[in-house]
Amino acid sequence: MLKIYRALIQSKLDYGSMVYGFARPSALKMLDPIQHQGLRFCTGAFRTFPVQSLYIESHEPSLHLHCLQLSLLYSSKLHSVPKHPTWGCVFLPRWAILFQNRRSAIASFGLRIQVQLDELGLSLDNIADSTGLPIPPWLITVPKCDLSLSHLRKVDTPDWKYHLLFTEHLSNNHSIPIYMDGFKSGTSVGSAMVCCSSVVAHRIPSTASVFNAQLYAISLTLDHIEAKQYSNCTIYIDSLSSLLALELLHVSSHLVLVDI
């Protein structure tokens, strides 16, 4: 029932919430009964059931917090697209002095969201720019990934079998082998690659995930191949999620675009 509510009712309340979400509180309260009635219907709660307890029972925030969350997500996504037609209106807002002098007037979205970011101690400066695909998708050559070892379950496969299959693959392959990995230990995150006698290792921000560290390691490897002008190489990596992201062209990740 909650899934139906979110799909049919909440989706309509979410539409345009970045625009109307900072309206007068008296006007926004007109929408609260819609949410409360839907949540009571889904959870079977009585009309006398406290609203705060209703939010906890249904794992749903209030409309005010939900609209604030959507606004923050929208501003974060918009900040990653500098060429977006509304980028300047949001992050370089005009008439700031006018709204400061007229407290009764509702400020523009850019001024309102900046206040919320300052109150929460958030910054959008670390968000990477989303440049989009460098070439049309139909012209992209999908990387060739050998996922044959991924079909073996770690629970049922002993280490010696992995080592045997890897040695067999290595002996049948006459290209230059390159080994790379991304790792995270405590607050330290890094990426490294080994090719012949060359070792390249970089430390990346501690907030990065292991997935991003693996993708960055692939980027280091490709830069090394280009610098050495190698023509026939095989990259070995133990991250299945990174290989699938490249093979399926998950362009939502900035590092996937860099690797492509």
Side-chain angles (χ1 to χ4, degrees), residues 28-254:
L28 294 177
K29 286 183 178 179
M30 299 171 59
L31 299 176
D32 288 341
I34 301 176
Q35 183 193 35
H36 298 163
Q37 183 178 358
L39 295 181
R40 286 194 174 96
F41 187 79
C42 294
T43 59
F46 294 104
R47 292 182 59 86
T48 56
F49 198 69
V51 174
Q52 298 298 330
S53 300
L54 185 64
Y55 293 151
I56 297 175
E57 186 70 21
S58 60
H59 301 283
E60 281 290 333
S62 64
L63 281 182
H64 171 70
L65 294 177
H66 187 61
C67 290
L68 176 60
Q69 180 187 19
L70 292 178
S71 299
L72 292 172
L73 292 174
Y74 175 76
S75 61
S76 301
K77 183 177 181 180
L78 181 63
H79 194 277
S80 65
V81 189
K83 294 184 179 181
H84 196 279
T86 62
W87 194 96
C89 300
V90 174
F91 301 107
L92 298 175
R94 303 173 61 186
W95 321 117
I97 299 178
L98 174 64
F99 288 113
Q100 290 177 1
N101 296 331
R102 299 182 59 183
R103 298 291 182 178
S104 59
I106 300 177
S108 60
F109 176 78
L111 297 174
R112 299 194 308 264
I113 202 62
Q114 187 58 50
V115 173
Q116 298 295 333
L117 290 171
D118 294 339
E119 291 180 355
L120 296 173
L122 299 177
S123 175
L124 303 180
D125 297 334
N126 295 327
I127 297 179
D129 293 343
S130 178
T131 56
L133 290 173
I135 56 177
W138 53 88
L139 296 180
I140 294 178
T141 302
V142 180
K144 183 180 179 181
C145 302
D146 186 357
L147 306 178
S148 57
L149 294 180
S150 65
H151 300 296
L152 302 175
R153 297 179 56 188
K154 292 184 178 180
V155 179
D156 305 329
T157 307
D159 295 340
W160 63 265
K161 188 171 183 179
Y162 281 119
H163 187 271
L164 179 63
L165 293 175
F166 171 74
T167 305
E168 181 181 357
H169 181 275
L170 196 62
S171 61
N172 295 330
N173 191 7
H174 303 291
S175 60
I176 300 175
I178 303 178
Y179 308 95
M180 45 143 296
D181 194 13
F183 53 89
K184 184 171 186 177
S185 176
T187 58
S188 301
V189 185
S191 304
M193 57 127 314
V194 178
C195 177
C196 301
S197 59
S198 302
V199 179
V200 180
H202 283 189
R203 184 171 181 176
I204 60 178
S206 58
T207 55
S209 62
V210 178
F211 174 71
N212 288 328
Q214 297 279 7
L215 289 177
Y216 187 70
I218 297 177
S219 180
L220 289 178
T221 305
L222 295 177
D223 291 340
H224 181 77
I225 293 174
E226 184 178 5
K228 295 295 184 179
Q229 297 183 352
Y230 292 143
S231 59
N232 188 14
C233 299
T234 301
I235 301 174
Y236 293 96
I237 181 175
D238 62 350
S239 175
L240 179 60
S241 58
S242 301
L243 295 178
L244 291 177
L246 293 174
E247 194 175 52
L248 300 176
L249 298 180
H250 287 173
V251 296
S252 57
S253 174
H254 174 71

